Amino acid sequence: MVKLAKYAKPFIMPLIVAIALLFVQAMTDLALPDYMSNIVNKGIQQNGIENAVPSAITQSKMNKLTLFMSENDKKEVIDNYTLINKDSSDYEKYVKDYPQLEKESVYVLKDISKSEIDKLNPTIGKAFLTVSGVDKMKSEAKNGKINFNGQEIPSNTDLFALLGKLSEEQRTKVSEQANKKFEELGDSMIVQAAIAPIKDEYKALGVNTDKLQSSYIKRTGVTMLGISLIGAVCTILVGFLGAKIAAGLSRNLRRDVFTKVESFSNTEFDKFSTASLITRTTNDITQIQMVINMSVRMVFYAPIMGVGGILRALQKSHSMSWIIAVAVIALLGLILIVFSIALPKFKAIQKLIDRLNLVTRENLSGMMVIRAFSTQKFEEQRFDKANKDLTGTNLFVNRVMVSMMPIMMLIMNGITLLIVWVGAHQVAQSSMQVGDMMAFMQYAMQIIFSFLMLSMMFILIPRASVAADRVAEVLAVQPVIVDKKDSKHFEKEIQGTIEFKNVSFRYPGAEEDVIKDLNFKALPGQTTAIIGSTGAGKTTLINLVPRFYDVTDGQILIDGIDIREVPQKELRDKIGYVPQKGSLFSGTIESNLKYADENSSEENIRRAAEIAQAIEFISERPEGFETAISQGGTNVSGGQKQRLSIARALVKRPEIYIFDDSFSALDFKTDAALRRALKKNTGSSTVLLVAQRISTIMNAEQIIVLDEGKIVGVGTHKELIKNCATYQEIASSQLSKEELA
Ligand code: TTP
Ligand code: MG
């Protein structure tokens, strides 16, 4: 995983932008419950009246209110209001809002800040409550008498006038008595309690209080809508960025893996199987892509949300914070238990998928053989076992994960219940507002969800890290065959003399040399044939020339230069190679022949096809050179495929030809015609030719007889038939007595 970290580098900028957007998104998500609590607390319970400082107070009411304020408070309150009457210049402006102005003067609140309002809140709130308390005495009058300050007085007495007549000292006593009652309530509760008399005051001013309420709720609702919209835009943008980062990163990974694999020599291919390399470039990288996409969204969002949620929840209620602790501990405990059971199985699943792939691959590629030997039953059982193992483990993991869901829901609902239970008591004791309790509930859910998101990542990351390790493994391989830094170069016009000097070769990891101490020279303009029983090492020998493998010992020289000294491309440009197992690419016949040289002329291609004896079957097809070749060249016969492979090498007109048993699938007549044409057209090139048939090589200038990796005879057909036992053996098995003589 860490090894692939450098692939994140080009995406740092989008990643930072994504994190910033996630921050905004989390902030909007966290802001919403607060607004909801405002709708409940202020919009519904307080009739849309936000605080105890009304925007206007009639002069008569203000006189009553100030009766219960200290001199300082009174001054402060009056200072923050402007007295408006019929003569004021602003009269026209205010009379619309407060029709009562037509009858009496009104104090209008100045444009003051929120902190100043907060300061005035308790002062005015308490005054309103006291005034309404006094008013209440009047309405509770019994037998026309009121109990006022221990005295029975007639109920039609103007209590406020009475109070106004009292001395400062006595009035303070009265208001102190009232204040004692309010002390237990917090500021916000005083405000809430004062709402009713304030609403009456608004009514007295002629203000439509219903409109006041609905406009507050609408205003808050629209703000919430706006915030949700910002959140939604952020979510979309983050999704876009996440996909972009993940797709870009996996594109780069795929490109690098592919480039790396292209630089592999056969040694490295032997280490990874082809199927595994394909799985790594496709499936494994897709896994990484998926996890990156998800983690961009979750890894950063979850902590911001979790921490923000905890802070906000504490703001709403300190006393209930223990509930969140309980929730988090319960969830963490659950997640830990589930993961300790499921995580080892996740790793096992990856291995079982590999196993299933292997069995499937072998089955598909060996289908013909399986049918021929009627081993379908056995193969079915083998597949069944791999399939069942995977299914079983998958089921187990899913059952564990699924059982987590109801438990989690139980915990979450339990937490909600607990919050309502504890919160309801606090609401009853007036130490908490209903809206705050609801907001607390939402914050608790947000915190829990952020923990869930983090735990999701704990599932995904181990799976991705397995995939990442497999990809990193490929990228970490250093190919053994590389170009030298200070490489030598061939002359412009090379001769093409190939010289093997004490060459030994051993396959990586093998115990024994396949080629042992070979010495020979192949000259330009001549055919050097190599013959020997199967497994003698012919293909191995020939593959050393284009450096598919490097020699273990000794050296191979072309025109006197060690082939390891020149760049691979320069070396291979000189060689026309026809492999033992011809392989064609999907496309047309022409595209396959042009594979050797894309700028080749029509003429040259036609000539190559003629020499390779391929022209006949090509022109038989209605589309000629445009005939489509299917994937792997399955729509041409073995012999046709060989001839196209030969033609492909001929298009290149190289200095060195290598034919590895390339005539084996041809009938004798075509074989002979092809060899004749080749002889005429390869001219001054060096030809290395592997064959099993004596007749194919009889006319070669030099024949090398190979047996168990050693040269047991060199010479012409005539020489060898006389003095090489191995050659004689091969010859006598193939030729008639007359031909031998
Ligand atoms: P080859 O060189 O393939 O033998 P060959 O070309 O002479 O045989 P044939 O006529 O059937 O084409 O193999 C020589 C030995 O090397 C043989 O014992 C198998 C071993 N070998 C490997 O270990 N790894 C390889 O990749 C190859 C090609 C061969
Ligand atoms: Mg071979």
Side-chain angles (χ1 to χ4, degrees), residues 538-539 580 660:
K538 306 183 292 295
T539 299
Q580 185 163 14
D660 186 357

Side-chain angles (χ1 to χ4, degrees), residues 104-203:
E104 61 174 314
S105 303
V106 166
Y107 281 96
V108 176
L109 187 65
K110 288 180 182 162
D111 194 15
I112 58 173
S113 69
K114 182 150 188 330
S115 64
E116 277 174 278
I117 287 184
D118 284 342
K119 228 164 84 193
L120 291 178
N121 252 336
T123 319
I124 301 183
K126 279 180 208 164
F128 262 106
L129 282 174
T130 320
V131 169
S132 78
V134 173
D135 279 336
K136 219 163 132 202
M137 276 183 201
K138 240 176 168 176
S139 63
E140 282 168 0
K142 270 181 232 148
N143 321 326
K145 299 265 180 217
I146 309 170
N147 186 335
F148 182 73
N149 244 1
Q151 289 173 325
E152 295 258 314
I153 52 170
S155 64
N156 53 5
T157 322
D158 184 347
L159 289 177
F160 294 101
L162 200 69
L163 279 163
K165 277 185 211 131
L166 291 177
S167 68
E168 172 87 39
E169 218 174 299
Q170 284 168 304
R171 259 206 328 262
T172 320
K173 230 174 91 190
V174 175
S175 56
E176 261 175 11
Q177 245 173 13
N179 282 352
K180 231 182 249 161
K181 272 201 255 168
F182 305 140
E183 224 130 77
E184 293 157 24
L185 305 173
D187 279 1
S188 78
M189 277 300 161
I190 290 175
V191 172
Q192 220 177 47
I195 292 302
I198 292 174
K199 193 178 167 192
D200 288 341
E201 177 60 17
Y202 273 119
K203 271 186 189 149

Side-chain angles (χ1 to χ4, degrees), residues 507 514 533-540 549 580 692:
Y507 280 106
V514 178
S533 54
T534 60
K538 306 183 292 295
T539 299
T540 308
Y549 291 97
Q580 185 163 14
Q692 302 275 12

